[in-house]
Amino acid sequence: MTERRTADDLGAVRALTFDIFGTTFDWWTGVSAQVADIARRAGVDVDAGAITDAWRDEYFAALNAVRTGAREWAHLDVLHREGLDRLLAANGLSDSFDDAARGDLVRSWHRLPLWPDVAGGLARLRPRYTLCALSNGGFALLTNLAKYAGSPFDCILSAQVAHCYKPDIQIYRTTSELLDLQPGGILMVAAHRWDIAGARAAGFRTAYVARPRERGPNRAAENPAEVECDLVVHGFDELATALGR
Amino acid sequence: MTERRTADDLGAVRALTFDIFGTTFDWWTGVSAQVADIARRAGVDVDAGAITDAWRDEYFAALNAVRTGAREWAHLDVLHREGLDRLLAANGLSDSFDDAARGDLVRSWHRLPLWPDVAGGLARLRPRYTLCALSNGGFALLTNLAKYAGSPFDCILSAQVAHCYKPDIQIYRTTSELLDLQPGGILMVAAHRWDIAGARAAGFRTAYVARPRERGPNRAAENPAEVECDLVVHGFDELATALGR
C-alpha cells in the first residue's frame, strides 16, 4: 500500500528519474539465467545464483573504490569485467570461461527482464512526465536495455555522462542541469536506500519502490520501514496511481 | 536519387546519429509560425520569416564565439535568448516583446514539426540500428522535441553533454565513447556540410540529406554536389532504402 512519509507537495514534479538495476529491471533473474546458460555452453557446472550474488558484491566494492578515489573512474562494463575476473579466480574457475564467454557474461547486464508492473506503470506516467533512466550503468548498456524493453523512457542518463557514480551528489546535480529543472521538479524512483538518500541530499523528491526479490532468492531485501523518502510504493502501477495517473 | 560517394562499406555501422534542426525537424516552418503567433498575441506587426532568418544568423555567430573561446560555453537556450535580445534591439523591437513573450519565443525551438519522411524512415531503421539524436540543442530541448514527435529515437545526446558544439571533433568522440562504438560503427546523418565534415574528421561514416527548404523560402539551400560524404539521400525514407531496410 502506498505510504506518504513527508508532507511535501509533489505537484511541482515534472520529470521522474528511474534507477534501473533492481528498480526497473529484475537484474538477478536476468543475470543468473544468462550465467547458467553461458556456463552450460562452456560445459561448466556452477551455482549460477551464487555467482550472481558474488558478482553484485564485486560491483559494490568497485563502486566504493571509484567513489573513494582508490580506483580511477571507469565504465560499468569495465568494472563488471574486473569483478567477474576476480570472482572466477577466487572460485577456481579461471580456466572455465574464456575471453568470449566472459564478454557474453558482461553483456548479460545489457538485456534483462522488466519487473511485471513496469511497462504498464510507465505508459500511464509518460503523458504527464518526462521519464528518464538514471543509472550507474553505461550509456550504451542503458540504451540497449531500454530498446529491448520497448523504449519506455523519454531519455537516458548515466553515470558515464556525469563521470561519477550514484550516490555522489554530482550525478543528481548534472541530471537537474541536463533536464533543465530545479531539483525539486524531479522525483527519483529507486529501490535502494542509498540512491534515495543521495537524491534527497541533492534536493530531489523521492519515491522508494519496495522490491522484495531485488537481491534474488538467496538474500533478504532492504527494509522499506527504514527509508526516509516522500513516498513508498510497491510497484510502478502503484506509483502511477499515487501520482494521480 | 541516392548517390554513393565513397567505396566505404557501411556494413559495420551499428548506430545512426541524427542532426536535429533542419535534418530531422523543419525548424524554419516551426519557428516562423510560432514567431508569427506570439507577435500576434503581443499585438506587434512583424515579418516573422525575416526574424526567423536573422535569429538563425545570430545562432551561428554565437556558436562561433563559443567555438573560438570568445564566449564561454553556454546552453543553446541561453544563446537563443541572447541572439533574440540582440536582434529585437537591432530592429527597434525591444519594447514589443516582454520577458514572458521572449521566453515563449525561445521555447518555440522545443516544439517543431518533423519533415514528412522522418517518422516512416526512422521506424524502418529502428529494428536494425541504435538511433541517436545528436544536436547542438540542449538536452531538455531535444528530449521535448523527441517526446512531442512520438519518441522516434533510442537515445539523445547533446552538445550540453559533451560541453562543446558541433562540429568540434570532441562531440563526435564523446558520442563514440558513450555509444561504445568505434567511430566507423556510426553513421552521421545531417543536412549541413559542416556537420558532415566534423563527423568525417572523427572517423564517422556520413550520410548527407539534401533538404532544399532547410533555410526556409527566403534563402537558397546548400548545394549537395559540394559535400564530401559516403552517401547522399533526399529523405529518411531514401536513407532506409539505401541501408537495405
Side-chain angles (χ1 to χ4, degrees):
Chain A
M1 210 187 67
T2 304
E3 185 193 334
R4 288 298 300 259
R5 292 205 176 155
T6 65
D8 291 355
D9 180 21
L10 299 178
V13 168
R14 296 288 171 270
L16 275 52
T17 50
F18 293 89
D19 173 59
I20 294 299
F21 300 118
T23 302
T24 304
F25 291 86
D26 177 5
W27 66 271
W28 197 93
T29 299
V31 171
S32 63
Q34 291 175 82
V35 168
D37 189 51
I38 292 162
R40 196 178 311 117
R41 282 189 275 123
V44 193
D45 186 29
V46 296
D47 180 340
I51 288 183
T52 303
D53 291 338
W55 204 359
R56 187 71 167 169
D57 292 341
E58 291 285 348
Y59 158 74
F60 283 112
L63 275 198
N64 278 333
V66 170
R67 295 193 58 231
T68 58
R71 190 214 188 288
E72 70 177 10
W73 198 90
H75 184 291
L76 181 66
D77 285 356
V78 172
L79 301 184
H80 271 157
R81 175 59 187 260
E82 292 175 358
L84 177 67
D85 290 347
R86 270 194 304 273
L87 85 85
L88 293 179
N91 290 279
L93 292 165
S94 284
D95 296 333
S96 304
F97 296 92
D98 62 15
D99 189 65
R102 291 173 194 222
D104 289 344
L105 286 165
V106 167
R107 275 187 299 278
S108 72
W109 294 86
H110 290 228
R111 198 179 297 205
L112 300 171
L114 292 171
W115 292 109
D117 51 270
V118 166
L122 293 180
R124 288 164 61 196
L125 291 161
R126 199 162 184 180
R128 184 178 296 173
Y129 300 101
T130 297
L131 306 186
C132 178
L134 178 59
S135 163
N136 283 341
F139 190 81
L141 175 154
L142 296 171
T143 299
N144 290 342
L145 273 181
K147 190 174 175 89
Y148 291 114
S151 305
F153 300 111
D154 295 310
C155 55
I156 290 166
L157 287 174
S158 156
Q160 199 183 1
V161 167
H163 226 75
C164 63
Y165 281 108
K166 293 190 292 184
D168 274 4
I169 197 164
Q170 188 53 48
I171 189 170
Y172 307 101
R173 289 185 177 149
T174 298
T175 298
S176 161
E177 192 183 316
L178 289 171
L179 294 178
D180 207 11
L181 291 170
Q182 295 297 316
I186 306 175
L187 181 74
M188 181 77 217
V189 181
H192 307 111
R193 180 189 324 168
W194 50 272
D195 196 356
I196 293 287
R200 275 172 73 86
F204 283 34
R205 304 273 67 84
T206 51
Y208 182 82
V209 187
R211 293 284 189 205
R213 301 274 292 185
E214 197 271 322
R215 293 171 178 161
N218 304 327
R219 291 177 171 187
E222 284 186 359
N223 183 356
E226 295 164 5
V227 183
E228 286 181 52
C229 57
D230 292 306
L231 200 62
V232 177
V233 295
H234 298 79
F236 286 15
D237 41 7
E238 211 178 287
L239 177 67
T241 302
L243 294 173
R245 300 302 304 170
Chain B
M1 210 187 67
T2 303
E3 187 192 333
R4 289 297 301 256
R5 292 203 176 157
T6 65
D8 291 355
D9 180 21
L10 299 178
V13 168
R14 295 289 172 270
L16 275 50
T17 49
F18 293 89
D19 174 58
I20 293 299
F21 300 118
T23 302
T24 305
F25 291 86
D26 177 4
W27 66 270
W28 197 94
T29 299
V31 171
S32 63
Q34 291 176 81
V35 168
D37 189 51
I38 292 162
R40 197 178 310 114
R41 282 190 275 124
V44 193
D45 186 29
V46 296
D47 180 341
I51 288 183
T52 303
D53 290 339
W55 204 0
R56 187 69 167 169
D57 291 342
E58 290 284 351
Y59 159 74
F60 282 113
L63 275 198
N64 278 333
V66 170
R67 294 193 59 230
T68 59
R71 191 215 187 289
E72 70 177 10
W73 198 89
H75 185 289
L76 181 66
D77 285 355
V78 172
L79 301 184
H80 271 157
R81 175 60 187 260
E82 292 175 357
L84 177 66
D85 290 347
R86 273 194 303 273
L87 85 85
L88 293 178
N91 289 280
L93 292 165
S94 284
D95 297 334
S96 304
F97 295 93
D98 61 15
D99 189 66
R102 290 174 195 222
D104 288 344
L105 286 165
V106 167
R107 275 187 299 277
S108 72
W109 294 86
H110 290 228
R111 198 180 296 206
L112 299 172
L114 292 171
W115 292 110
D117 50 270
V118 167
L122 292 180
R124 288 164 60 196
L125 291 161
R126 199 161 184 181
R128 184 178 295 174
Y129 299 102
T130 297
L131 307 186
C132 178
L134 179 58
S135 164
N136 283 341
F139 189 81
L141 176 154
L142 296 171
T143 299
N144 289 342
L145 273 181
K147 189 174 176 89
Y148 290 114
S151 305
F153 300 112
D154 295 311
C155 56
I156 290 166
L157 287 174
S158 157
Q160 199 183 0
V161 168
H163 225 75
C164 63
Y165 282 109
K166 292 190 294 182
D168 274 4
I169 198 164
Q170 188 53 47
I171 189 170
Y172 307 102
R173 288 185 177 151
T174 298
T175 298
S176 159
E177 192 183 315
L178 289 172
L179 294 178
D180 206 12
L181 291 170
Q182 295 298 314
I186 306 174
L187 180 74
M188 180 77 217
V189 182
H192 307 111
R193 181 189 324 168
W194 51 271
D195 196 357
I196 293 286
R200 275 170 73 84
F204 283 34
R205 303 272 69 82
T206 51
Y208 183 81
V209 187
R211 292 284 188 204
R213 301 274 293 185
E214 197 270 322
R215 293 171 178 162
N218 305 327
R219 294 177 170 187
E222 285 186 358
N223 182 356
E226 295 164 4
V227 182
E228 287 182 52
C229 57
D230 291 307
L231 200 61
V232 177
V233 295
H234 297 80
F236 286 16
D237 41 6
E238 211 178 287
L239 177 66
T241 302
L243 294 174
R245 301 302 304 169

